[in-house]
Amino acid sequence: MLTLETPRLVLRRWREEDVAPMAAVNADPEVMRWIRDGSVRDRRQTRVGIQAWEREWESQGFGLFAVEIRATGELAGFTGLSVPEYLPEVLPAVEVGWRLGRSHWGQGLATEAAAAAVRFGFEERGLERIVSIAQVGNDASERIMTKLGMHPVRETVNPSGGRRVRVFELSSDLTTVGCREAES
């Protein structure tokens, strides 16, 4: 089973015992503020989401990793790659995304995890371009994108939620720059 390790994290496939801690992350209105329409998700919705993420692994060869803190084994949230079907104008594309529980914010963990996912996409899956999409005003996510070496390429409206979003992009020929900055 595929596992990536960083200095502080283990990125791995999902387990049944991840449903409850991920549901707690998804139930926090502050965490969900910048996700689609800002609605929280319950345990059932979280389980359905995890099942969909696992199916994406099987069909695409990539997906969203569970992010575990190496020192404690605690589930912090997720990071990984997915096809942003909710924003057809950027397709074909693969998006790097992340969602961590609030207790894990401000420590560089999202950047560390996303950098590992980006390297995996370019080095292991041969992707030529990875995008990341954030709602306008989500400055924390945009800072992570910048640390990854990404640059903004467009601003548009997410048709599924009506909110303005910015699309950032990174090409495979720039990965060493973006990942080096992300690790520092």
Side-chain angles (χ1 to χ4, degrees), residues 36-105:
R36 296 202 176 125
D37 67 356
S39 298
V40 297
R41 298 191 183 127
D42 63 20
R43 189 180 180 117
R44 184 195 61 75
Q45 292 167 313
T46 298
R47 181 183 305 283
V48 168
I50 289 172
Q51 291 168 345
W53 301 336
E54 279 297 298
R55 283 192 303 275
E56 194 168 50
W57 273 104
E58 302 308 319
S59 66
Q60 301 286 347
F62 55 78
L64 298 178
F65 291 97
V67 175
E68 181 180 296
I69 305 296
R70 283 180 75 164
T72 64
E74 176 187 5
L75 182 81
F78 73 70
T79 193
L81 305 171
S82 63
V83 176
E85 294 173 2
Y86 64 92
L87 195 61
E89 69 186 79
V90 302
L91 298 175
V94 174
E95 176 185 16
V96 62
W98 50 85
R99 183 180 311 152
L100 298 182
R102 207 175 341 166
S103 64
H104 301 290
W105 291 1

Side-chain angles (χ1 to χ4, degrees), residues 1-2 6 16 22 32 51-52 69 74 98 126 138 159 176 178:
M1 188 169 278
L2 179 63
T6 71
E16 177 61 29
M22 192 67 218
M32 300 303 287
Q51 291 168 345
I69 305 296
E74 176 187 5
W98 50 85
N138 186 348
T176 55

Side-chain angles (χ1 to χ4, degrees), residues 71-145:
T72 64
E74 176 187 5
L75 182 81
F78 73 70
T79 193
L81 305 171
S82 63
V83 176
E85 294 173 2
Y86 64 92
L87 195 61
E89 69 186 79
V90 302
L91 298 175
V94 174
E95 176 185 16
V96 62
W98 50 85
R99 183 180 311 152
L100 298 182
R102 207 175 341 166
S103 64
H104 301 290
W105 291 1
Q107 303 168 44
L109 297 175
T111 304
E112 185 175 324
V118 166
R119 277 192 303 276
F120 169 77
F122 287 135
E123 296 172 7
E124 302 297 324
R125 295 301 182 251
L127 300 175
E128 294 180 14
R129 174 178 80 107
I130 295 176
V131 301
S132 195
I133 303 163
Q135 289 184 19
V136 172
N138 186 348
D139 297 334
S141 282
E142 287 192 14
R143 279 191 300 276
I144 293 167
M145 294 172 194

Side-chain angles (χ1 to χ4, degrees), residues 132 142 145-146 149-155 166-169:
S132 195
E142 287 192 14
M145 294 172 194
T146 301
M150 300 183 124
H151 61 279
V153 293
R154 76 170 66 185
E155 190 170 310
R166 284 197 188 103
V167 180
F168 283 63
E169 179 179 278

